[in-house]
């Protein structure tokens, strides 16, 4: 299983960003994909996840209303879109997948990370 | 939501030392805890799941124990390649859906 993410982004405050995570190997729609972010010098923060076959994402309370996680089964790609960006959203964003059917538990596979810089 | 507290936040040890990192959950998570190692500029790497199960390919000097609210990651004999930051993560299954949360991390350095 490999997860390959889209490239780095530089965004203005107040704008939105959409990060892609293409999954190869395994069955895409039956395994949960989560998004985890890491601000510079800080720890890991789970943002939310989706099991594509179910379609309904689950979000950390902190990110509800500002983050949208989707999955495109036709291209085996998951997306994370964040709106109303501020400098505090400057971070590396990882996608991650577990090895457990139809659940989001621990994360066996990770993307390489996408750096998002929010700066005026 | 469940909060995860790791200690210490950092430690310095010598090659061959036994290293212990603890993780405390704010409520009972049964056995549903994993441990990750992260090296600078890299994605985290899963070491242990379900509190004590070693992921295939992870060296046997790593071990995990605990249940309920108290968990431990032990490196029996620290090696130079073990330097990095270690995180715990909870994934209790009920009620569903539930948020997943990480501990704050423990940075392991070589003395």
């Amino acid at each position: 299983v490999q997860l390959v993410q889209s490239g780095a982004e530089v965004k203005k405050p107040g704008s939105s960003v959409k990060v892609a995570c293409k999954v190869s190997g395994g069955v895409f729609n039956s395994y949960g994909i989560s998004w985890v972010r890491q601000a510079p010098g800080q720890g890991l923060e789970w943002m939310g996840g989706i099991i594509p076959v179910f379609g309904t994402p689950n979000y950390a309370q902190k990110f509800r209303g500002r983050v949208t996680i989707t999955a495109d089964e036709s291209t085996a790609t998951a997306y994370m879109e964040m709106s109303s960006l501020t400098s505090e959203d400057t971070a590396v964003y990882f996608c991650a997948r577990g090895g457990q059917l139809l659940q989001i538990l621990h994360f066996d596979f990770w993307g390489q990370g996408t750096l998002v810089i929010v700066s005026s | 939501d469940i909060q995860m507290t790791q200690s210490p936040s950092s430690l310095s040890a010598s090659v061959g030392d036994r290293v212990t990192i603890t993780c405390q959950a704010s409520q009972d998570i049964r056995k549903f805890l994993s441990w990750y190692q992260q090296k600078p500029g890299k994605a985290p790497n899963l070491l242990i799941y379900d509190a004590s199960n070693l992921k295939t390919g992870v060296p046997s000097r790593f071990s995990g124990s605990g249940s309920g609210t108290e968990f431990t990651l032990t490196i029996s004999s620290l090696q130079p390649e073990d330097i990095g930051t270690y995180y715990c993560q909870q994934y209790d299954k009920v009620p569903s859906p539930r948020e997943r949360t990480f501990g704050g991390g423990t940075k392991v350095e070589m003395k």
Side-chain angles (χ1 to χ4, degrees), chain A:
Chain A
V1 176
Q2 277 196 314
L3 286 70
V4 178
Q5 298 182 222
S6 50
E9 303 262 13
V10 179
K11 293 293 183 180
K12 299 286 188 189
S15 67
S16 299
V17 68
K18 191 170 186 177
V19 182
C21 172
K22 184 165 179 61
V23 182
S24 59
V27 178
F28 175 76
N29 66 352
S30 300
Y31 293 88
I33 299 285
S34 283
W35 290 89
V36 176
R37 83 172 181 181
Q38 187 169 40
Q42 302 301 308
L44 303 171
E45 188 171 30
W46 184 80
M47 302 174 67
I50 188 169
I51 301 171
V53 70
F54 295 152
T56 302
N58 180 30
Y59 299 102
Q61 185 170 3
K62 175 177 180 177
F63 296 102
R64 283 176 207 153
R66 203 162 69 91
V67 169
T68 303
I69 295 172
T70 56
D72 183 340
E73 295 184 47
S74 68
T75 60
T77 302
Y79 298 92
M80 185 284 299
E81 183 169 22
M82 178 180 283
S83 61
S84 304
L85 293 168
T86 72
S87 59
E88 294 187 352
D89 296 315
T90 293
V92 175
Y93 291 79
F94 294 100
C95 60
R97 203 205 83 168
Q100 316 86 38
L101 270 174
L102 305 179
Q103 299 181 87
I104 295 176
L105 303 177
H106 48 83
F107 308 119
D108 301 59
F109 309 101
W110 292 73
Q112 83 276 20
T114 296
L115 175 62
V116 175
I117 296 172
V118 183
S119 175
S120 55

